[in-house]
Structures are given as structure tokens and as C-alpha cells.
Amino acid sequence: MPYEREMEVCRRAASVAGEIALRYHRSGLTPEEKDDLSPVTIADRECERAIASLLTEVFPEDGLLGEEGAARESRSGRRWIIDPIDGTRDFVRGNHLFANLIALEAGGEVVAGVANFPALGALYLAGKGHGAWRDGVRLQVAETASPSKAVLCYQGLNNVAPAMRGTLLDWFSQFWAVRSMGGALDASFVAEGQADIWIEHGAKAWDLAPLKILVEEAGGRYFNFDGGSSIYAGNCVCTNPNLEAVVRRFFGLL
């Protein structure tokens, strides 16, 4: 089947980056501040260099797009999208929620992706037509159909417009629980059936690309607040199919 090799290389690159990240995570480091006020560390840059080097060695015709500046034009119609350390704020504070994210985009579609959580010992991998996996176990989204029994994950509450805050909190009240674990882990939990909905208020393509295919290959749904299905829209919803209408109705899509 297509993308088997790409999945394996993707997994290998994320594992290499995970080892680098863990080394810095244990020793501690001081972040710098980027123009958008988000933190960046030497570990982010070293992880991105390692990922880009491995991908370039194996797939020299493919393009690159990395959060920390890795860039190469594609000669194959394919591009690797890299977030070397997703959750740098978590990373520099010493908690375990950070991830190495890598995805392959081909023909405008995400066809392979990995979310590696090295400090948790968890690696999630997906490929188009291959399903979504963690440690050799195939993943499937939950079948929860009632919000009263559902776990909702919402990322970016600090960026919600003031006019929306009351409405959002009222909507939250129907769910069994509301969590926020940093985005990548939220989406992975949806794919694994440990949560039911993930809503991301503000993110870049490198934050969303591998999570999109991970959830979709686990049987879930991915869409933007305007009803599209892009990794470039800056926001997304991931949900199990039974709760899709609940979320679409909230965003005025039904």
C-alpha cells in the first residue's frame, strides 16, 4: 500500500527528535522569545535540523515547511510539515505534554503524520488508508453520542473574543467534562477514544497537519469553523461522528 515507507521514516524522524528533546528536557534550558511572543529554544532548532536532515536524505525531491524556518521548494508535489517541539511552553516548564509533530502533504492533502510524546512514551502514527496506530494498536474514536457523557477538549480559551465567552461557557455546561491538554494530546485522545471532541481556536499548519490525519484515520471528523477542511484555516474541530452535528450546530454550520 502507498505511504508505508513514508510512515516509517516519519516515525523514525520523530523518534530521533524525541531523544534530542528529552535530553534538553532533563537538563533544563532558557527560551528565547519570537516576534509573535511565543517561546523557542535551542532544542526546537536542533530537533528541526535533525528531522529535516533525515527527511531530505530519504526524500530529496520533497519540500519542507518547518516552524523554525526549515524550507525547501518541492520538486515532487509533496511537502513535509514539521513542528519540532509542539508545546514549547510546556517543554520549558518541565511538564510532559510536548510533542514532535511531522506530516506529509501530497496534492494538497495530508497523507501521513506522527505525533510523538517522548516524555510520555507515546507515539501516534497514521497514514492514508493505513489507519491510526499507537504502539502497534489500531486506534478508533469513541462512539459517545450524548454530550452529557462526552469529554470536550478546548484549546485557546485565552484567545476567545469577549463577546463569545459567555456563550461558550454556557455551551460547555452540557458536557460531562471539559479539558485542555495542549492541542496535540487533546487530538490524540480523540483518535484513541479517550476524549470525544477537540476544538482548536488558533493554530498553524504544522500544529494541525498530523493531527488531522490521525483523527480521520481513526474514524473521526475534521473541519474548520467555517465548514472547510484545511490545515491552513488557523482553527479546527476534531470529533467522533456521533457528536459532529452538536459541534456543527454550535458553529452555525447546520
Side-chain angles (χ1 to χ4, degrees), residues 23-24 28 33 45 48 54 63 76 81 83 86 95 111 113 144 153 172 182 206-207 216 223 233 244-245:
R23 188 173 71 246
Y24 283 106
E33 198 171 81
R45 297 185 175 111
E48 184 160 293
L54 195 156
S76 64
I81 302 174
D83 189 345
D86 181 72
N95 77 39
V111 296
T144 313
C153 300
F172 282 174
W206 43 73
D207 300 305
E216 289 179 335
F223 57 92
E244 181 177 5

Side-chain angles (χ1 to χ4, degrees), residues 120-158:
L120 297 177
L123 187 147
Y124 298 83
L125 182 66
K128 187 172 176 59
H130 289 271
W133 301 82
R134 177 186 172 182
D135 303 326
V137 177
R138 188 159 187 165
L139 305 183
Q140 179 67 40
V141 297
E143 297 182 356
T144 313
S146 169
S148 66
K149 296 182 179 179
V151 175
L152 166 70
C153 300
Y154 196 105
Q155 176 72 3
L157 280 169
N158 55 316

Side-chain angles (χ1 to χ4, degrees), residues 162-192:
M164 277 290 294
R165 290 173 186 170
T167 302
L168 193 62
L169 286 174
D170 287 344
W171 188 68
F172 282 174
S173 66
Q174 69 185 303
F175 292 96
W176 180 76
V178 178
R179 311 277 189 241
S180 183
M181 295 172 286
L185 192 59
D186 297 321
S188 299
F189 274 12
V190 171
E192 199 167 9

Side-chain angles (χ1 to χ4, degrees), residues 184-204:
L185 192 59
D186 297 321
S188 299
F189 274 12
V190 171
E192 199 167 9
Q194 296 184 4
D196 302 287
I197 301 167
W198 170 52
I199 299 175
E200 171 61 66
H201 189 83
K204 303 292 186 181

